[in-house]
Amino acid sequence: MTAVLYDVRDGVGLITFNRPERLNSWGPDIAAGCYAAIDRAEADPAVRAIVLTGTGRGFCAGADLGGGAQTGPDTDVADTDVSELVGDRPPHFLTELRKPVIAAVNGSCVGIGLTHALMCDVRFAAAGAKFATAFTRRGLVAEHGITWMLPRLVGMGAAMDLLLSGRTFLAEEARELGLVNHVVAPEQLLERAMAYARDIAENCSPASLAVIKGQVYRDALDDVAAVSARAEALMYESLARPDLIEGITSFFEKRPPNFPPLT
């Protein structure tokens, strides 16, 4: 069975974790397949947005420490090669892509699976989907940048609650906290997430998407004066791109825009 599936539909690269028998727990096979699919989507001019989801009852139920669906009392996790398990890229590489990444969280989203979901730009979740940081309940520490991203999404107080307690919470609470953007019926999840991504692919400038995404994640680390100065320089650059003329022309002509692909 292929660990990660990849398909392109109407300008959207669909990446699907495909180890449902172990709730798509993160391991070397999922990691390698995910990175390869991301690289294909990022390099393909026809792909303008990316959707990340899972098969079965899990989005990604954490790290596969036991090399299988279960980690039992006889599993010697001390011998786990963390670098091999995680792969050659930390989850925050998703924030460094030029294209928007939409998570469609279909089920259990725990540990490193939650970290990957948080590093996506927009999150849809199936009603009733379960989330947890879980680190404190496994004797682990908060990993791979989740302590940078989670407080920015939900605030310091809520982040401390979720990280320290390691408790399980549902998609509905995740929406109230601001951790996910949309909660939809499970049977509508992929359709809704794909429609959202398709709208971006059809109507948004790839160059603008790439620049704005870079601005958001980089600007979070800087002061407002430096951010404003950079934004002004980027604005002048955007005025020279053909995307601006096409965006204005298509608006006045009341037609969908035909933006050029990323180069």
Side-chain angles (χ1 to χ4, degrees):
M1 180 185 295
T2 304
V4 176
L5 306 176
Y6 179 71
D7 189 21
V8 178
R9 307 177 187 176
D10 300 322
V12 179
L14 175 60
I15 299 172
T16 307
F17 301 147
N18 190 40
R19 284 286 186 259
E21 71 281 1
R22 64 179 201 230
L23 298 179
N24 299 314
S25 294
W26 189 270
D29 55 348
I30 292 276
C34 178
Y35 302 150
I38 287 287
D39 287 346
R40 289 178 64 184
E42 181 78 344
D44 186 351
V47 172
R48 301 193 172 196
I50 299 167
V51 170
L52 189 63
T53 192
T55 55
R57 298 182 296 110
F59 174 77
C60 176
D64 187 11
L65 296 175
Q70 300 291 330
T71 301
D74 297 327
T75 302
D76 189 359
V77 296
D79 291 335
T80 300
D81 185 337
V82 174
S83 62
E84 180 182 351
L85 177 69
V86 175
D88 59 5
R89 304 179 205 181
H92 78 261
F93 88 96
L94 294 170
T95 69
E96 299 171 346
L97 302 176
R98 299 180 300 165
K99 300 176 182 180
V101 184
I102 295 94
V105 180
N106 54 297
S108 298
C109 185
V110 179
I112 194 172
L114 176 60
T115 304
H116 277 91
L118 297 185
M119 297 300 175
C120 295
D121 305 304
V122 177
R123 283 158 293 282
F124 286 72
K130 294 181 179 180
F131 295 78
T133 63
F135 306 122
T136 57
R137 301 192 178 216
R138 304 294 181 269
L140 297 169
V141 299
E143 61 187 13
H144 304 303
I146 194 172
T147 52
W148 185 89
M149 182 60 81
L150 187 58
R152 285 169 166 77
L153 292 173
V154 304
M156 186 66 73
M160 291 297 283
D161 164 35
L162 300 179
L163 287 166
L164 295 178
S165 71
R167 65 183 178 85
T168 297
F169 57 102
L170 301 183
E172 290 74 13
E173 182 180 357
R175 175 67 185 89
E176 292 177 2
L177 292 172
L179 191 149
V180 302
N181 303 86
H182 307 278
V183 174
V184 301
E187 65 273 14
Q188 297 176 357
L189 175 68
L190 188 56
E191 177 185 350
R192 287 282 300 278
M194 289 293 290
Y196 179 90
R198 189 164 54 249
D199 178 66
I200 289 176
E202 292 174 352
N203 295 298
C204 297
S205 159
S208 295
L209 291 169
V211 172
I212 290 173
K213 180 169 175 175
Q215 284 179 281
V216 169
Y217 292 112
R218 182 177 60 246
D219 291 351
L221 303 175
D222 216 336
D223 64 85
V224 67
V227 167
S228 296
R230 271 200 306 272
E232 184 175 354
L234 290 168
M235 177 61 71
Y236 280 112
E237 291 177 12
S238 72
L239 296 177
R241 284 196 292 267
D243 302 62
L244 177 63
I245 299 300
E246 174 59 17
I248 294 173
T249 302
S250 62
F251 174 78
F252 282 114
E253 293 180 352
K254 294 181 170 54
R255 61 169 175 80
N258 184 24
F259 290 117
L262 285 173
T263 57

